[in-house]
Amino acid sequence: MFRFLAGLLLLALAAPLALAAERIESFHSHIVVEKSGDLVVTETITVRAQGHEIKRGIYRDIPRLQSTKFGLKTKKPFRVLRVTRDGKQENYETSEIGQGGIRIRIGRAEVFLKPGSYTYEIIYRTGRQLYFEEERDALYWNVNGTEWKFPADKVSATVVLPEGIKGTKVWGYTGTRGAQGEDYRAEVTETGATIEATRPFRARENLTVVLEWPP
């Protein structure tokens, strides 16, 4: 009986700690494919901060290197349009990181966040992200990236295609970089597609969406 009660006590103590741990509570990406082929991406990221890793804000790493058919490396166009925290404009700066990526560092050095939940919205434009093939055009998009140090409770995305174009097939992958897990649900919609992970993610796990439409 004593061991049973002790076990219950440990669980009771552990539960609040687990709920309080820094994490991504939700990550949703709204991806608009423009007629030009550019993407306008709005990422809505709600995080739980406790002052450990998330002290002043967050940062978002996005790869830019692209291999051409001739084996050369080129950088995909990328421009941040707006960043907010809880609906208000937030300070940010960008810097180059390894492997040709870009880091968006959000927050102010002199402002420390109180423990709690914060919702960030990052809007950016990027180009040369589509694949044009003889039988199809396609978007391959890593929704939340593989570099987050935190677990994520919910990860999802919506893709909107240009007017007059309807998707024909959507699928995805889940897990760490290179993994091809199938823990997601996805469907083609009248305007594009939706996809969401069907389980929480551990640190550095991600969701990738692939949407096809007629060439």
Side-chain angles (χ1 to χ4, degrees):
M1 177 61 72
F2 175 77
R3 290 182 178 179
F4 176 73
L5 292 174
L8 288 178
L9 178 61
L10 288 174
L11 287 173
L13 291 173
L17 293 175
L19 291 173
E22 290 182 327
R23 63 197 309 103
I24 298 171
E25 294 180 327
S26 66
F27 189 117
H28 182 75
S29 184
H30 184 78
I31 306 153
V32 177
V33 182
E34 297 189 327
K35 289 185 177 181
S36 65
D38 282 0
L39 307 182
V40 176
V41 182
T42 301
E43 295 180 344
T44 304
I45 308 167
T46 299
V47 300
R48 164 69 62 172
Q50 290 295 329
H52 304 303
E53 294 288 339
I54 306 176
K55 298 178 181 179
R56 301 173 177 85
I58 62 172
Y59 62 82
R60 174 77 166 101
D61 290 347
I62 299 175
R64 293 180 63 197
L65 271 187
Q66 179 184 42
S67 298
T68 69
K69 62 181 180 180
F70 303 108
L72 302 175
K73 297 287 187 180
T74 183
K75 286 185 179 179
K76 301 174 182 179
F78 182 90
R79 181 165 62 94
V80 178
L81 302 179
R82 189 178 67 180
V83 176
T84 64
R85 173 167 61 86
D86 292 338
K88 297 180 180 180
Q89 186 172 333
E90 180 65 299
N91 183 67
Y92 72 91
E93 60 182 30
T94 60
S95 59
E96 298 287 332
I97 55 176
Q99 303 299 317
I102 189 168
R103 172 167 291 178
I104 308 169
R105 190 179 296 276
I106 303 169
R108 299 178 183 273
E110 70 278 10
V111 177
F112 286 84
L113 301 177
K114 296 179 180 179
S117 293
Y118 298 90
T119 297
Y120 293 87
E121 185 178 81
I122 307 169
I123 305 177
Y124 56 88
R125 177 185 294 275
T126 182
R128 297 204 296 270
Q129 300 283 357
L130 304 182
Y131 292 81
F132 304 104
E133 301 174 0
E134 184 175 343
E135 298 181 352
R136 64 168 189 170
D137 292 346
L139 168 69
Y140 287 76
W141 188 255
N142 187 313
V143 174
N144 59 308
T146 60
E147 302 305 317
W148 291 100
K149 297 179 181 179
F150 314 109
D153 296 333
K154 299 177 182 179
V155 179
S156 60
T158 301
V159 182
V160 179
L161 294 174
E163 186 176 356
I165 298 177
K166 183 173 174 57
T168 54
K169 183 180 180 181
V170 61
W171 76 98
Y173 305 112
T174 58
T176 54
R177 180 180 297 179
Q180 297 187 5
E182 299 180 351
D183 300 309
Y184 68 88
R185 66 172 64 94
E187 65 175 333
V188 173
T189 66
E190 288 297 318
T191 56
T194 61
I195 189 170
E196 63 178 324
T198 55
R199 65 169 176 83
F201 284 167
R202 295 180 290 273
R204 304 190 188 281
E205 288 192 311
N206 70 101
L207 171 67
T208 295
V209 59
V210 185
L211 175 60
E212 296 181 7
W213 59 89

